[in-house]
């Protein structure tokens, strides 16, 4: 048993969609969350910059005596994690769990991936899928407008539907039967994306799969919190905590008192 917290980081507040899943699969675990709100978005930045920011995020979490780190950010996971050396604790990205889940669920071997421009440019999802199942076909689409659509409260509106129809048309034409939502924000668009892709297409949330993978890793290594684990969460951001507190409930899927601290990195 290990009651030290799980560290989670993201470029901003989107990683709370992963925290929501962690809280649901492991209610006893303490969580320390860091959102790099001063430097969000990561999704259109260069590899050098994303790697540098990711190193800072990990260093911040390492100051909090965490037992494992989850890179909830699709962009940091795909672009930066391959360049991060051993940091002394396990670092989980969101890619591999999502790829394995997609391969398990696809029936026709045609898998779609959507994410930020940098995530899609990295081609990492396709590489991981090919390394596990070379016969699978991967079709990708960058959806850069999805993040601002969600953050500005347009997730369930005609605006989201127009943008999504355009972004997803190519994947639909390719006949994918499984679609990986490779970005923290996309679970909030699940309804819109599901309607457009149709019933036959299964949506894979990378945050949900990473939370499941984290649970089985901790379990397998005797690192789960004991029954006395309180399930407390601490939230840190690198910019003004107020907007994080306001939007946080949207991403967590419920209204809760978030006590958010300003972190200097
Ligand atoms: N958190 C990012 C991701 O999952 C989306 C926001 C950003 O571009 O930083 O890729």
């Amino acid at each position: 048993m290990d009651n030290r917290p799980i560290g989670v980081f993201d470029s901003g507040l989107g990683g709370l969609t992963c925290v929501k899943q962690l809280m649901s699969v492991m209610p006893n675990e303490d969580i320390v969350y860091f959102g790099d709100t001063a430097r969000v978005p990561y999704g259109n930045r260069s590899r050098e910059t994303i790697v540098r920011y990711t190193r800072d995020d990990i260093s911040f979490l390492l100051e909090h005596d965490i037992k494992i780190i989850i890179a909830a950010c699709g962009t940091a996971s795909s672009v930066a994690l391959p360049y991060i050396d051993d940091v002394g604790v396990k670092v989980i990205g969101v890619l591999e769990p999502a790829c394995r889940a997609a391969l398990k669920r696809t029936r026709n071997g045609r898998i779609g991936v959507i994410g930020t421009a940098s995530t899609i440019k990295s081609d990492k999802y396709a590489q991981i899928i090919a390394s596990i199942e070379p016969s699978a076909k991967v079709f990708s689409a960058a959806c850069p407008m999805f993040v601002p659509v969600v953050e500005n409260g347009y997730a369930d509106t005609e605006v989201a539907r127009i943008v999504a129809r355009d972004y997803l048309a190519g994947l639909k034409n390719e006949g994918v039967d499984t679609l990986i939502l490779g970005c923290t924000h996309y679970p909030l668009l699940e309804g819109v994306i599901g309607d457009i892709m149709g019933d036959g297409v299964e949506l894979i949330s990378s945050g949900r799969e990473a939370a499941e993978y984290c649970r089985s890793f901790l379990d397998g290594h005797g690192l789960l919190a004991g029954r006395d684990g309180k399930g407390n969460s601490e939230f840190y951001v690198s910019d003004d905590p107020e907007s994080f507190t306001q939007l946080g409930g949207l991403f967590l899927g419920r209204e809760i008192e978030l006590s958010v601290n300003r972190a200097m990195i």
Side-chain angles (χ1 to χ4, degrees):
M1 293 299 156
D2 187 333
N3 281 10
R4 288 178 300 160
I6 297 172
V8 181
F9 76 88
D10 178 45
S11 54
L13 47 74
L16 292 178
T17 52
C18 180
V19 170
K20 177 182 171 189
Q21 301 300 332
L22 285 170
M23 288 172 162
S24 133
V25 295
M26 292 180 284
N28 292 344
E29 297 289 339
D30 288 353
I31 294 170
V32 174
Y33 182 90
F34 176 65
D36 193 7
T37 51
R39 303 190 293 194
V40 70
Y42 287 10
N44 48 12
R45 296 192 193 275
S46 69
R47 186 179 76 200
E48 292 70 28
T49 301
I50 298 167
V51 171
R52 183 156 52 85
Y53 289 177
T54 300
R55 286 207 177 100
D56 293 342
D57 303 340
I58 290 174
S59 300
F60 178 81
L61 289 175
L62 289 173
E63 287 165 16
H64 289 77
D65 193 29
I66 37 79
K67 60 184 170 188
I68 192 165
I69 292 177
I70 303 183
C73 181
T75 305
S77 295
S78 44
V79 178
L81 287 193
Y83 299 92
I84 302 288
D85 296 331
D86 186 1
V87 298
V89 296
K90 171 87 173 165
V91 180
I92 295 176
V94 287
L95 271 66
E96 194 167 329
C99 292
R100 290 195 181 276
L103 282 167
K104 243 188 227 148
R105 289 182 218 159
T106 182
R107 297 160 313 266
N108 68 5
R110 299 173 80 78
I111 297 170
V113 179
I114 53 175
T116 64
S118 302
T119 293
I120 298 308
K121 192 171 150 221
S122 80
D123 203 34
K124 270 280 162 221
Y125 275 100
Q127 290 168 17
I128 292 173
I129 288 172
S131 74
I132 303 170
E133 180 48 72
S135 68
K137 295 239 171 330
V138 178
F139 304 91
S140 309
C143 304
M145 278 179 44
F146 277 174
V147 168
V149 161
V150 169
E151 291 198 352
N152 288 288
Y154 287 90
D156 204 12
T157 68
E158 197 48 32
V159 174
R161 274 183 279 279
I162 291 168
V163 174
R165 243 179 252 124
D166 190 55
Y167 282 153
L168 301 174
L171 298 178
K172 238 179 115 96
N173 282 343
E174 294 293 354
V176 302
D177 72 351
T178 311
L179 177 61
I180 298 177
L181 310 181
C183 171
T184 46
H185 289 56
Y186 300 176
L188 281 98
L189 293 165
E190 226 167 355
V192 168
I193 294 171
D195 284 349
I196 291 169
M197 294 306 291
D199 284 344
V201 177
E202 185 145 3
L203 306 185
I204 309 281
S205 151
S206 40
R208 189 183 311 133
E209 300 305 330
E212 282 294 348
Y213 176 76
C214 180
R215 195 199 57 72
S216 68
F217 180 88
L218 293 177
D219 191 20
H221 291 78
L223 293 172
L224 282 171
R227 289 227 179 108
D228 57 337
K230 302 260 184 304
N232 291 331
S233 306
E234 281 173 33
F235 299 92
Y236 295 88
V237 290
S238 51
D239 202 353
D240 180 19
E242 200 178 311
S243 55
F244 185 92
T245 311
Q246 279 165 7
L247 270 175
L250 180 70
F251 283 82
L252 276 175
R254 61 188 159 129
E255 282 308 318
I256 58 160
E257 270 300 296
L258 286 181
S259 146
V260 186
N261 308 288
R262 175 84 180 258
M264 292 301 164
I265 62 162

